[in-house]
Amino acid sequence: MGFLGWVGRAFSRVYWREEPLVARIRPHLPAGGSVLDVGAGGCRIAELLGADGRLSVTAVDVVDHNVTDVPLLLCDGDTLPFPDKSFDAALLVFVLHHAERPEALVREVVRVTRSTVVVIEDAPETLAQRLWWRGWDYLLNHAAHDDIGVAHRARNVAQWVAFLRSCGAAPVSARRFRALYPVLRSYPHVVLPVPVGAATRG
């Protein structure tokens, strides 16, 4: 592993972005119940959400980069090993731009969810923002972990909304935000809550 890989892994060991993300996720979750975190990564979001005991959080991913005591279930990325409507809510946090078949993943997550799927994604708009995004994504993911592919496709907010609608998972809102960390402030992100009832009709 080179210098960039060590830098990426160092960032992955601290909670510098998860706590603000959890604050944006919580308003879209039930007060209690079950949550599936798909593509959970280090499982820090799952750990923070489940810390007070009100939410039961299940973490799944295709690789094991868990840095917490939260149990992580490994799956193949195409099929989630749960019956229909198993969870009150589900999360896709910075996952879809890495997925080889994002449409299939969205539909599978909707299948196992009863209420809401919360999608959070990077949403660079300009060429400069896309270059920043690609470099930062490479540092945090590919350079630090050989088993994570470089981002597959950048989408802006309108393109993410259109993509989700094409999957039959229309979001009810699209709220832009900027991360507090200086480098990540160089491009916007978006929170896209998808009500599953609307998704299954869409």
Side-chain angles (χ1 to χ4, degrees), residues 112-190:
V112 301
T113 306
R114 289 189 288 270
S115 177
T116 303
V117 176
V118 182
V119 177
I120 297 183
E121 266 299 344
D122 301 319
E125 301 278 348
T126 66
L127 175 60
Q129 289 175 357
R130 289 181 182 229
L131 291 174
W132 272 111
W133 167 75
R134 172 101 27 203
W136 189 243
D137 193 84
Y138 180 90
L139 175 64
L140 280 183
N141 292 298
H142 184 71
H145 305 286
D146 294 336
D147 50 1
I148 296 182
V150 179
H152 287 268
R153 181 176 177 180
R155 290 180 171 94
N156 61 31
V157 173
Q159 289 167 337
W160 278 120
V161 171
F163 165 76
L164 290 171
R165 286 177 175 165
S166 75
C167 299
V172 293
S173 62
R175 184 176 295 274
R176 292 175 175 84
F177 69 97
R178 298 267 183 158
L180 295 177
Y181 191 76
V183 176
L184 290 183
R185 286 190 65 81
S186 58
Y187 53 86
H189 316 281
V190 62

Side-chain angles (χ1 to χ4, degrees), residues 27-48:
H28 304 289
L29 300 181
S34 57
V35 177
L36 178 65
D37 186 2
V38 180
C43 296
R44 293 177 294 269
I45 288 176
E47 181 184 56
L48 290 168

Side-chain angles (χ1 to χ4, degrees), residues 41-105:
C43 296
R44 293 177 294 269
I45 288 176
E47 181 184 56
L48 290 168
L49 284 173
D52 62 8
R54 291 184 296 172
L55 292 171
S56 172
V57 185
T58 299
V60 299
D61 210 327
V62 297
V63 292
D64 186 357
H65 295 147
N66 191 356
V67 296
T68 73
D69 294 327
V70 174
L72 175 67
L73 177 65
L74 295 178
C75 61
D76 63 13
D78 289 325
T79 304
L80 296 172
F82 308 107
D84 294 356
K85 310 300 181 187
S86 293
F87 301 91
D88 294 306
L91 310 178
L92 286 164
V93 180
F94 302 126
V95 171
L96 291 176
H97 68 263
H98 288 296
E100 294 183 9
R101 289 170 291 277
E103 298 90 350
L105 179 58

